[in-house]
Amino acid sequence: MAIISVTTSELTSRARVSAFQETVATLCRLEFSPDDPETFRSSTAIGVMPEAMLAWGRHSQCAAERTPELAAGGSDNVMIHFMRRGAFQMHQTGGPDVICESGHVYIDPNEVAGTSRFLAEGTEAFYISLPRSTVAGLRGINDHLRLRVDATPQWRLLQCYGEALFADMDMLTPEQIALSSRHLQDLAISAFSARDPGPLAETMAARLRLIKEDIASLLHQPDLTPELIAARHGISSRYLRMIFASEATTFRAYVLQQRLHRAHATLWDPAAIMRTISDVAGATGFSDLSWFNQSYRRRYGQSPRETRAEAMTARLTPSPD
Protein backbone atom coordinates (compact mmCIF):
# COMPACT_ATOMS: atom_id res chain seq x y z
CA MET A 1 0.00 0.00 0.00
CA ALA A 2 1.42 3.39 -1.01
CA ILE A 3 2.35 6.06 1.50
CA ILE A 4 0.81 9.53 1.01
CA SER A 5 3.39 12.19 1.76
CA VAL A 6 3.77 15.96 1.50
CA THR A 7 6.83 18.04 2.30
CA THR A 8 7.58 21.74 2.01
CA SER A 9 10.93 21.01 0.32
CA GLU A 10 9.01 19.96 -2.79
CA LEU A 11 7.01 23.21 -2.93
CA THR A 12 7.98 26.62 -4.24
CA SER A 13 8.91 29.09 -1.52
CA ARG A 14 6.20 31.58 -2.48
CA ALA A 15 3.36 29.07 -2.16
CA ARG A 16 4.97 26.77 0.36
CA VAL A 17 2.73 27.38 3.37
CA SER A 18 -0.57 27.65 1.50
CA ALA A 19 0.09 24.57 -0.67
CA PHE A 20 1.23 22.54 2.31
CA GLN A 21 -1.77 23.67 4.33
CA GLU A 22 -4.21 22.78 1.56
CA THR A 23 -2.93 19.21 1.47
CA VAL A 24 -2.49 18.68 5.20
CA ALA A 25 -5.91 20.08 6.14
CA THR A 26 -7.48 17.30 4.07
CA LEU A 27 -5.20 14.51 5.28
CA CYS A 28 -4.77 15.42 8.94
CA ARG A 29 -7.63 17.87 9.57
CA LEU A 30 -5.19 20.47 10.92
CA GLU A 31 -4.49 24.11 10.14
CA PHE A 32 -0.80 25.03 10.40
CA SER A 33 0.39 28.50 11.43
CA PRO A 34 4.20 28.77 11.11
CA ASP A 35 6.14 31.00 13.50
CA ASP A 36 8.19 32.09 10.48
CA PRO A 37 6.54 31.44 7.08
CA GLU A 38 9.79 32.16 5.24
CA THR A 39 11.78 29.41 6.96
CA PHE A 40 8.92 27.01 7.67
CA ARG A 41 9.82 23.35 7.06
CA SER A 42 7.48 20.43 7.47
CA SER A 43 7.12 16.86 6.26
CA THR A 44 4.21 14.49 6.77
CA ALA A 45 3.67 10.91 5.57
CA ILE A 46 0.53 8.84 6.10
CA GLY A 47 -0.30 5.19 5.52
CA VAL A 48 -3.96 4.15 5.66
CA MET A 49 -4.79 0.56 6.60
CA PRO A 50 -8.01 -1.33 7.38
CA GLU A 51 -8.99 -0.22 10.89
CA ALA A 52 -5.75 1.75 11.45
CA MET A 53 -3.69 4.67 10.21
CA LEU A 54 0.05 5.26 10.64
CA ALA A 55 1.75 8.62 10.20
CA TRP A 56 5.08 10.35 10.66
CA GLY A 57 5.74 14.07 10.88
CA ARG A 58 8.61 16.52 11.37
CA HIS A 59 7.94 20.25 11.76
CA SER A 60 9.71 23.47 12.49
CA GLN A 61 8.23 25.79 15.10
CA CYS A 62 4.54 26.30 14.41
CA ALA A 63 1.01 25.80 15.72
CA ALA A 64 -1.34 23.12 14.40
CA GLU A 65 -5.01 23.69 15.19
CA ARG A 66 -7.89 21.27 14.89
CA THR A 67 -10.86 23.60 14.77
CA PRO A 68 -14.32 22.46 15.93
CA GLU A 69 -15.32 22.27 12.26
CA LEU A 70 -12.36 20.06 11.36
CA ALA A 71 -12.89 17.91 14.47
CA ALA A 72 -16.57 17.38 13.60
CA GLY A 73 -15.62 15.99 10.20
CA GLY A 74 -13.28 13.37 11.63
CA SER A 75 -13.73 9.72 12.52
CA ASP A 76 -14.26 8.33 16.01
CA ASN A 77 -10.63 7.34 16.42
CA VAL A 78 -8.03 7.52 19.15
CA MET A 79 -4.69 8.86 17.92
CA ILE A 80 -1.55 7.93 19.84
CA HIS A 81 1.33 10.44 19.56
CA PHE A 82 4.81 9.00 20.13
CA MET A 83 7.35 11.78 20.60
CA ARG A 84 10.67 10.99 18.95
CA ARG A 85 12.51 14.32 19.00
CA GLY A 86 11.95 17.86 20.23
CA ALA A 87 8.78 18.84 22.10
CA PHE A 88 5.22 20.00 21.59
CA GLN A 89 2.58 21.60 23.79
CA MET A 90 -0.95 20.28 23.50
CA HIS A 91 -4.28 21.60 24.66
CA GLN A 92 -7.56 19.91 23.76
CA THR A 93 -11.05 20.90 24.81
CA GLY A 94 -11.75 19.38 28.22
CA GLY A 95 -8.11 18.60 29.00
CA PRO A 96 -5.10 20.31 30.61
CA ASP A 97 -2.16 21.95 28.87
CA VAL A 98 0.63 19.37 28.61
CA ILE A 99 4.15 19.43 27.19
CA CYS A 100 5.38 16.22 25.56
CA GLU A 101 9.04 15.43 24.93
CA SER A 102 10.96 12.36 23.79
CA GLY A 103 9.82 9.35 25.80
CA HIS A 104 6.29 10.66 26.21
CA VAL A 105 3.04 9.43 24.66
CA TYR A 106 -0.05 11.59 24.18
CA ILE A 107 -3.51 10.01 23.81
CA ASP A 108 -5.63 12.13 21.49
CA PRO A 109 -9.43 11.70 21.17
CA ASN A 110 -9.41 12.48 17.49
CA GLU A 111 -12.87 14.07 17.34
CA VAL A 112 -12.01 16.75 19.93
CA ALA A 113 -10.85 20.24 18.94
CA GLY A 114 -7.48 21.45 20.16
CA THR A 115 -4.16 23.10 19.38
CA SER A 116 -0.65 21.69 19.42
CA ARG A 117 2.42 23.91 19.29
CA PHE A 118 5.71 22.46 18.06
CA LEU A 119 8.27 24.10 20.33
CA ALA A 120 11.59 23.07 18.80
CA GLU A 121 13.03 23.07 15.30
CA GLY A 122 12.67 19.62 13.75
CA THR A 123 10.21 18.27 16.31
CA GLU A 124 9.40 14.73 15.18
CA ALA A 125 6.62 12.33 16.13
CA PHE A 126 5.12 9.03 15.03
CA TYR A 127 1.36 8.50 15.15
CA ILE A 128 -0.95 5.48 15.31
CA SER A 129 -4.69 6.07 14.90
CA LEU A 130 -7.13 3.30 15.83
CA PRO A 131 -10.95 3.12 16.01
CA ARG A 132 -12.20 3.91 19.50
CA SER A 133 -14.11 0.59 19.40
CA THR A 134 -10.71 -1.16 19.52
CA VAL A 135 -10.12 -0.03 23.09
CA ALA A 136 -13.60 1.03 24.19
CA GLY A 137 -14.10 -2.10 26.32
CA LEU A 138 -11.15 -1.34 28.61
CA ARG A 139 -11.92 0.04 32.03
CA GLY A 140 -10.34 3.41 32.61
CA ILE A 141 -9.78 4.24 28.93
CA ASN A 142 -11.13 7.74 29.53
CA ASP A 143 -8.41 8.24 32.15
CA HIS A 144 -5.84 8.16 29.32
CA LEU A 145 -7.49 10.67 27.01
CA ARG A 146 -6.08 14.20 26.60
CA LEU A 147 -3.15 13.23 28.82
CA ARG A 148 0.60 12.70 28.54
CA VAL A 149 1.82 9.28 29.71
CA ASP A 150 5.31 7.84 29.99
CA ALA A 151 6.45 5.40 27.31
CA THR A 152 6.21 2.08 29.16
CA PRO A 153 7.61 -1.11 27.58
CA GLN A 154 4.11 -1.85 26.27
CA TRP A 155 3.88 1.55 24.55
CA ARG A 156 7.41 1.17 23.14
CA LEU A 157 6.54 -2.26 21.76
CA LEU A 158 3.51 -0.77 19.99
CA GLN A 159 5.63 2.10 18.64
CA CYS A 160 8.42 -0.21 17.38
CA TYR A 161 5.94 -2.49 15.63
CA GLY A 162 4.11 0.46 14.09
CA GLU A 163 7.32 2.07 12.80
CA ALA A 164 8.57 -1.24 11.35
CA LEU A 165 5.21 -1.77 9.66
CA PHE A 166 5.20 1.79 8.32
CA ALA A 167 8.67 1.27 6.78
CA ASP A 168 7.62 -1.92 4.96
CA MET A 169 3.98 -1.14 4.22
CA ASP A 170 4.42 -0.67 0.47
CA MET A 171 5.94 -4.17 0.20
CA LEU A 172 3.12 -6.04 1.99
CA THR A 173 0.11 -7.71 0.43
CA PRO A 174 -3.41 -6.55 1.37
CA GLU A 175 -3.82 -9.74 3.43
CA GLN A 176 -0.59 -9.08 5.35
CA ILE A 177 -1.61 -5.47 5.98
CA ALA A 178 -5.00 -6.59 7.33
CA LEU A 179 -3.26 -9.01 9.71
CA SER A 180 -0.82 -6.31 10.80
CA SER A 181 -3.72 -3.99 11.55
CA ARG A 182 -5.08 -6.55 13.99
CA HIS A 183 -1.63 -6.92 15.54
CA LEU A 184 -1.56 -3.16 16.17
CA GLN A 185 -4.89 -3.42 17.93
CA ASP A 186 -3.64 -6.30 20.14
CA LEU A 187 -0.54 -4.34 21.12
CA ALA A 188 -2.58 -1.20 21.79
CA ILE A 189 -4.88 -3.16 24.10
CA SER A 190 -1.82 -4.43 25.97
CA ALA A 191 -0.44 -0.89 26.33
CA PHE A 192 -3.72 0.60 27.52
CA SER A 193 -4.25 -2.33 29.89
CA ALA A 194 -0.87 -1.91 31.60
CA ARG A 195 -2.32 0.76 33.93
CA ASP A 196 -5.37 -1.36 34.68
CA PRO A 197 -4.62 -5.11 34.87
CA GLY A 198 -8.31 -6.01 35.20
CA PRO A 199 -9.16 -6.34 31.49
CA LEU A 200 -5.55 -7.24 30.47
CA ALA A 201 -4.87 -8.05 26.85
CA GLU A 202 -7.31 -10.91 26.49
CA THR A 203 -6.98 -11.17 22.74
CA MET A 204 -3.23 -11.72 22.85
CA ALA A 205 -3.48 -14.08 25.84
CA ALA A 206 -6.13 -16.18 24.12
CA ARG A 207 -4.05 -16.37 20.97
CA LEU A 208 -1.00 -17.46 22.97
CA ARG A 209 -2.99 -20.24 24.65
CA LEU A 210 -4.07 -21.59 21.26
CA ILE A 211 -0.50 -21.40 19.95
CA LYS A 212 0.85 -23.32 22.95
CA GLU A 213 -1.81 -26.00 22.50
CA ASP A 214 -0.82 -26.30 18.85
CA ILE A 215 2.87 -26.56 19.75
CA ALA A 216 2.06 -29.36 22.22
CA SER A 217 0.38 -31.35 19.45
CA LEU A 218 3.37 -30.92 17.12
CA LEU A 219 6.33 -31.44 19.48
CA HIS A 220 7.21 -34.70 17.74
CA GLN A 221 8.00 -32.84 14.49
CA PRO A 222 11.71 -31.92 14.24
CA ASP A 223 10.91 -29.07 11.83
CA LEU A 224 8.67 -27.20 14.26
CA THR A 225 9.57 -23.64 13.26
CA PRO A 226 8.16 -20.18 14.03
CA GLU A 227 7.21 -19.85 10.38
CA LEU A 228 5.16 -23.06 10.51
CA ILE A 229 3.22 -22.06 13.63
CA ALA A 230 2.74 -18.49 12.40
CA ALA A 231 1.29 -19.74 9.10
CA ARG A 232 -1.08 -22.12 10.92
CA HIS A 233 -2.44 -19.23 13.00
CA GLY A 234 -2.58 -16.60 10.26
CA ILE A 235 -0.01 -14.27 11.83
CA SER A 236 3.50 -13.14 10.89
CA SER A 237 6.54 -14.84 12.39
CA ARG A 238 7.63 -11.41 13.68
CA TYR A 239 4.38 -11.07 15.62
CA LEU A 240 4.74 -14.63 16.93
CA ARG A 241 8.15 -13.73 18.34
CA MET A 242 6.66 -10.61 19.95
CA ILE A 243 4.01 -12.71 21.70
CA PHE A 244 6.66 -14.96 23.26
CA ALA A 245 8.82 -11.93 24.10
CA SER A 246 5.91 -10.64 26.20
CA GLU A 247 6.54 -13.68 28.44
CA ALA A 248 10.29 -13.02 28.57
CA THR A 249 11.15 -16.03 26.41
CA THR A 250 11.54 -17.01 22.76
CA PHE A 251 9.69 -19.46 20.56
CA ARG A 252 12.69 -21.80 20.31
CA ALA A 253 13.39 -21.69 24.05
CA TYR A 254 9.75 -22.50 24.81
CA VAL A 255 9.69 -25.43 22.35
CA LEU A 256 12.94 -26.84 23.78
CA GLN A 257 11.59 -26.57 27.33
CA GLN A 258 8.38 -28.41 26.39
CA ARG A 259 10.27 -31.15 24.54
CA LEU A 260 12.57 -31.78 27.50
CA HIS A 261 9.63 -31.79 29.90
CA ARG A 262 7.83 -34.41 27.79
CA ALA A 263 10.99 -36.54 27.45
CA HIS A 264 11.53 -36.43 31.23
CA ALA A 265 7.93 -37.51 31.87
CA THR A 266 8.28 -40.36 29.38
CA LEU A 267 11.48 -41.64 31.02
CA TRP A 268 9.66 -41.77 34.36
CA ASP A 269 6.64 -43.55 32.85
CA PRO A 270 6.59 -47.33 33.66
CA ALA A 271 4.70 -47.94 30.42
CA ALA A 272 7.70 -46.63 28.44
CA ILE A 273 10.34 -48.80 30.14
CA MET A 274 11.07 -50.75 26.95
CA ARG A 275 11.54 -47.67 24.76
CA THR A 276 15.11 -46.76 23.90
CA ILE A 277 16.59 -43.35 24.70
CA SER A 278 16.87 -42.57 20.99
CA ASP A 279 13.20 -43.47 20.52
CA VAL A 280 12.19 -41.11 23.33
CA ALA A 281 14.36 -38.37 21.82
CA GLY A 282 12.85 -38.84 18.37
CA ALA A 283 9.29 -38.92 19.71
CA THR A 284 9.82 -35.52 21.32
CA GLY A 285 11.23 -33.88 18.18
CA PHE A 286 14.99 -34.31 18.68
CA SER A 287 16.62 -35.47 15.45
CA ASP A 288 20.12 -35.25 16.96
CA LEU A 289 20.70 -37.63 19.89
CA SER A 290 23.84 -35.85 21.12
CA TRP A 291 21.98 -32.52 21.21
CA PHE A 292 19.18 -34.20 23.14
CA ASN A 293 21.61 -35.61 25.72
CA GLN A 294 23.40 -32.29 26.06
CA SER A 295 20.19 -30.26 26.44
CA TYR A 296 18.71 -32.79 28.85
CA ARG A 297 21.74 -32.77 31.14
CA ARG A 298 21.80 -28.97 31.14
CA ARG A 299 18.12 -28.89 32.14
CA TYR A 300 17.97 -31.74 34.69
CA GLY A 301 21.57 -32.14 35.85
CA GLN A 302 21.74 -35.78 34.77
CA SER A 303 21.65 -37.86 31.60
CA PRO A 304 18.46 -39.48 30.26
CA ARG A 305 19.82 -42.90 31.25
CA GLU A 306 20.42 -41.70 34.79
CA THR A 307 16.83 -40.42 34.97
CA ARG A 308 15.52 -43.81 33.83
CA ALA A 309 17.70 -45.63 36.38
CA GLU A 310 16.48 -43.28 39.11
CA ALA A 311 12.88 -43.93 38.10
CA MET A 312 13.39 -47.73 38.18
CA THR A 313 15.03 -47.52 41.61
CA ALA A 314 12.16 -45.45 42.93
CA ARG A 315 9.64 -48.02 41.71
CA LEU A 316 11.54 -50.94 43.23
CA THR A 317 12.13 -49.29 46.59
CA PRO A 318 9.36 -50.26 49.00
CA SER A 319 7.52 -47.36 50.50
CA PRO A 320 7.81 -46.95 54.29
CA ASP A 321 4.90 -48.07 56.38
Side-chain angles (χ1 to χ4, degrees):
M1 184 174 294
I3 301 294
I4 304 170
S5 63
V6 56
T7 177
T8 54
S9 63
E10 298 173 351
L11 305 171
T12 61
S13 58
R14 186 173 60 181
R16 179 185 296 130
V17 175
S18 59
F20 181 81
Q21 175 57 52
E22 183 178 348
T23 304
V24 170
T26 302
L27 293 174
C28 305
R29 295 180 298 109
L30 293 170
E31 292 183 355
F32 279 80
S33 301
D35 287 9
D36 184 352
E38 293 298 321
T39 61
F40 176 60
R41 295 290 182 273
S42 186
S43 297
T44 300
I46 299 173
V48 179
M49 307 166 59
E51 299 297 311
M53 185 186 76
L54 305 178
W56 168 89
R58 182 189 293 132
H59 312 286
S60 55
Q61 292 171 293
C62 64
E65 181 182 8
R66 183 184 298 145
T67 64
E69 292 76 20
L70 289 172
S75 56
D76 190 20
N77 279 18
V78 173
M79 179 173 284
I80 306 163
H81 302 234
F82 297 95
M83 286 304 301
R84 302 188 67 208
R85 182 185 307 163
F88 77 87
Q89 182 178 19
M90 174 72 81
H91 174 77
Q92 285 190 282
T93 302
D97 286 332
V98 297
I99 294 179
C100 296
E101 300 175 291
S102 179
H104 290 152
V105 179
Y106 182 82
I107 313 301
D108 175 358
N110 208 34
E111 79 286 359
V112 175
T115 301
S116 58
R117 174 167 289 278
F118 295 93
L119 304 175
E121 190 68 25
T123 292
E124 184 177 317
F126 183 73
Y127 309 91
I128 298 176
S129 182
L130 298 168
R132 189 184 293 266
S133 59
T134 300
V135 293
L138 297 174
R139 291 201 311 269
I141 179 61
N142 290 331
D143 294 339
H144 292 81
L145 300 179
R146 306 179 186 86
L147 294 178
R148 179 192 72 192
V149 298
D150 291 331
T152 63
Q154 293 85 358
W155 286 119
R156 290 195 295 271
L157 183 59
L158 173 61
Q159 179 183 357
C160 289
Y161 185 83
E163 290 184 357
L165 177 60
F166 186 76
D168 294 335
M169 189 179 295
D170 58 350
M171 295 184 288
L172 300 178
T173 66
E175 292 77 15
Q176 291 169 331
I177 289 175
L179 283 174
S180 298
S181 181
R182 294 198 291 273
H183 299 166
L184 284 172
Q185 294 173 16
D186 286 351
L187 292 171
I189 290 171
S190 178
F192 276 109
S193 299
R195 280 180 58 179
D196 178 12
L200 208 49
E202 296 178 1
T203 302
M204 184 182 290
R207 181 172 287 144
L208 181 58
R209 285 195 296 271
L210 291 175
I211 288 172
K212 287 182 174 180
E213 291 173 4
D214 201 21
I215 289 173
S217 71
L218 299 172
L219 280 177
H220 62 283
Q221 295 190 15
D223 58 344
L224 183 54
T225 63
E227 291 72 23
L228 173 65
I229 294 297
R232 287 169 62 90
H233 290 263
I235 61 176
S236 68
S237 56
R238 176 187 292 177
Y239 184 61
L240 179 68
R241 293 185 179 94
M242 283 186 174
I243 292 177
F244 279 96
S246 70
E247 292 204 330
T249 188
T250 65
F251 173 86
R252 296 188 188 282
Y254 176 80
V255 169
L256 177 61
Q257 177 192 50
Q258 295 304 303
R259 282 175 166 160
L260 291 172
H261 177 76
R262 181 172 294 182
H264 185 266
T266 302
L267 292 170
W268 271 88
D269 185 359
I273 190 65
M274 300 304 295
R275 295 177 66 178
T276 66
I277 299 298
S278 60
D279 180 42
V280 172
T284 50
F286 289 93
S287 56
D288 185 328
L289 185 58
S290 62
W291 170 244
F292 169 64
N293 287 322
Q294 178 183 342
S295 302
Y296 191 94
R297 181 178 289 278
R298 185 183 301 115
R299 172 66 179 83
Y300 293 104
Q302 59 183 193
S303 70
R305 293 187 186 283
E306 289 170 334
T307 295
R308 171 162 281 171
E310 184 179 309
M312 291 179 64
T313 300
R315 286 193 294 272
L316 293 175
T317 301
S319 59
D321 294 334

